[in-house]
Amino acid sequence: MAAPAPSTEIDHGWTPDQPLVRLVDVHKSYGTIPVLRGVSLDVRKGEVICIIGPSGSGKSTLIRCINALVPIDSGTIRVEGQEVNDPDLDKLALRRKVGMVFQQYNLFPHRTALQNVMMAPIHVLKQNRKEVEARARALLAKVRLQGKEDAYPGQLSGGQQQRVAIARSLAMRPDVMLFDEVTAALDPETVKEVLVTIRDLAEEGMTCILVTHEMGFARELADHIYFTDAGLIVEHGPPAEFFANPKDERTKAFLGQVL
Amino acid sequence: MTSDTSPAPASVLPVLLPFRASQPRRFAPLRLQFIHAVGFIGLALLVGGAAHAQSGADQLSALGVIWKWFPLLMSGFMFNIAISVLSMSLGTIAGLGLGLLAISLNRPLRRTAWGTTQFFRNAPWLVLLFFAMFMIPFQFTIFGTTYPLPDWVKAVIGFALPVMANVSEIVRGAVGSLPSGQWEAAESLAFSRRKTLWLIILPQCVKRMLPPWMNLYSLVTMATVQASIVGVTEMLTLTAQVHAAEGGRPDLLAPLYGFAMLCFFVYCYPIERFTLYLERRFHLHQ
């Protein structure tokens, strides 16, 4: 049933020098309320991009479109050349390539940290249990959670849960990671431990798309920053330029408030 | 720590201590207290005494009658329990299926399951029992062999119908009560819908479904006496027969039916307590 489908990766003629994720003129409305009103962006392999903007500007919807959690109304989204909006899309094949971490962690509370990390590779990718367990333990160690393998999510702090969630996503060996305000529900001390984990990932060359309110983090780590407001990308650029010299009035107003 | 700061003062500081909801006690199967014993004995004495006062010297006392017929009455009560367990099992299996159909992505299937659920949930149990009794044939033939279908089997089916509808609703409610983030997380990890349900959603629903399910069982057990109306020889039927066998003495009415009531109470009360305990526990350790 969940047979590996490597063919999808060659079919679309995608080569690593092209953008890994490409959005062109994406529109999305919830009922009569427009959320995305023509968003375009490119993410290259190994890049870290941060999407910032006031709440309600469509950031979360934007990031959820990329792994087809939210269907779009018009425009195109391609991940490794694969058309995400295609009605015949094998969503499961797409989601094996795109990892996602949520604001509310969304760990499976009835399974331990280790089981949370192991579930998808075993049940979705049908990989060997022993091999998956070794990898899962290594991943938990990588996010600095040795000794917490057998803890249930309810026994872990928010920051620890979020790091398990990151490890769980990485266990699928995705090509790109989506982070949806992953530190927004954490207290200031634990924010740092999660950001350090993400930084390690970025430095290893993982392609990351982050929706974040951590301006310092965005400035330090991002290759490119996109600022959204009312469903549009108002301004984008490399962080140094973006923060030092914002051009749009809305960007200036927003940065004036948060910095 | 090498600092020589003084240890925290032992005095009670004027701070408001954080509120701690009391931990649930470990479940004591039958926490009958002295007051319960007094109640039971009092009730027995009152009923028995009143009955005895009315009876003549040559007649058995009410307690004597109950004692005499105790094995028969208990066999009837066991029958009630058997009917309740069987109809609960049957209804639960059917209800799980119906509940899963009610959350299906296929619209006609979902609407049909919803309609079935609503129909059987909003029909009086006794009416469903009558339908089961009179619509289901008393025997059926497969490959030339005729199997009889006794009344109590039909009663089981009759009670299983409302159970099915209620379980279906319990399943649908439990699935709906899980945060949508669980679905999203499973989806983003490329779990198919079927795997999401079996590995992630339903295991978490079990503990949410357990208290209402046990509550339903309690209700089914007490409803089984309705089977006496359609002639199944369960406890209430036997109680009436015992009463008749003892000459229909009016003074025996209250003790005999009181005894039936007591049997159901003793059986259902622990279930009720256990349900409450589970509700408390799951509520606190979510």
Side-chain angles (χ1 to χ4, degrees), chain A residues 15 24 26 29 34 40 63 79 109 133 138 143 148 162 200 202 224 236:
Chain A
T15 51
V24 182
V26 171
S29 307
S40 302
I63 206 168
V79 175
E133 182 172 341
V143 298
K148 296 289 184 190
Q162 196 57 291
D200 290 350
H224 212 84
H236 65 97

Side-chain angles (χ1 to χ4, degrees), chain A residues 12 68 70-78 82-95:
Chain A
H12 308 279
V70 170
I72 59 172
D73 300 336
S74 66
T76 51
I77 301 176
R78 284 175 190 278
Q82 189 176 17
E83 172 71 72
V84 174
N85 207 21
D86 183 353
D88 298 329
L89 163 80
D90 180 359
K91 282 187 186 165
L92 302 186
L94 167 76
R95 286 169 184 159

Side-chain angles (χ1 to χ4, degrees), chain B:
Chain B
M1 290 291 235
T2 52
S3 69
D4 56 354
T5 49
S6 58
S11 67
V12 179
L13 290 169
V15 289
L16 185 66
L17 290 169
F19 171 76
R20 258 182 88 75
S22 62
Q23 292 286 319
R25 268 174 293 221
R26 281 201 26 236
F27 178 70
L30 249 184
R31 274 201 1 271
L32 283 184
Q33 290 157 3
F34 182 65
I35 186 76
H36 297 118
V38 170
F40 280 134
I41 294 168
L43 188 73
L45 285 181
L46 190 76
V47 171
H52 190 65
Q54 292 170 20
S55 61
D58 55 333
Q59 288 173 317
L60 270 173
S61 72
L63 287 176
V65 169
I66 289 170
W67 183 246
K68 180 178 157 197
W69 296 101
F70 187 77
L72 182 73
L73 291 174
M74 277 301 106
S75 73
F77 185 56
M78 287 303 133
F79 207 48
N80 284 79
I81 292 174
I83 291 175
S84 70
V85 169
L86 287 173
S87 54
M88 195 66 189
S89 313
L90 196 66
T92 300
I93 292 164
L96 285 174
L98 193 61
L100 289 178
L101 290 182
I103 54 168
S104 147
L105 290 180
N106 181 321
R107 181 186 278 264
L109 220 54
R110 192 172 64 230
R111 302 303 286 175
T112 311
W114 180 84
T116 313
T117 303
Q118 294 309 316
F119 178 79
F120 287 113
R121 232 168 81 88
N122 294 297
W125 292 25
L126 191 57
V127 176
L128 292 176
L129 185 63
F130 267 81
F131 262 89
M133 280 296 168
F134 303 125
M135 302 293 278
I136 301 172
F138 62 92
Q139 61 182 32
F140 61 98
T141 309
I142 300 176
F143 301 125
T145 318
T146 300
Y147 300 92
L149 212 56
D151 273 357
W152 66 270
V153 174
K154 293 200 246 173
V156 164
I157 297 170
F159 287 120
L161 289 173
V163 170
M164 171 187 77
N166 281 285
V167 169
S168 161
E169 199 62 8
I170 290 172
V171 171
R172 204 181 60 88
V175 170
S177 75
L178 280 189
S180 61
Q182 292 290 311
W183 285 97
E184 281 195 330
E187 274 183 74
S188 73
L189 287 167
F191 281 98
S192 64
R193 188 179 163 84
R194 177 186 292 251
K195 282 188 178 142
T196 304
L197 264 177
W198 287 107
L199 292 168
I200 293 151
I201 303 299
L202 291 180
Q204 293 185 59
C205 285
V206 170
K207 69 175 189 179
R208 284 161 196 257
M209 296 191 298
L210 209 50
W213 183 80
M214 287 174 47
N215 200 26
L216 181 63
Y217 176 66
S218 229
L219 291 174
V220 171
T221 309
M222 288 181 278
T224 52
V225 293
Q226 292 175 3
S228 72
I229 300 173
V230 288
V232 178
T233 48
E234 49 67 70
M235 189 176 203
L236 207 67
T237 312
L238 289 175
T239 304
Q241 286 173 4
V242 164
H243 186 233
E246 287 295 324
R249 283 157 50 195
D251 59 295
L252 284 178
L253 264 177
L256 278 174
Y257 285 97
F259 176 68
M261 217 148 68
L262 189 70
C263 287
F264 281 95
F265 180 82
V266 167
Y267 185 71
C268 291
Y269 181 70
I271 296 174
E272 167 74 19
R273 298 295 309 185
F274 190 60
T275 309
L276 276 175
Y277 159 79
L278 286 181
E279 273 173 359
R280 269 203 311 268
R281 210 190 95 182
F282 293 158
H283 189 66
L284 283 180
H285 298 274
Q286 198 76 279

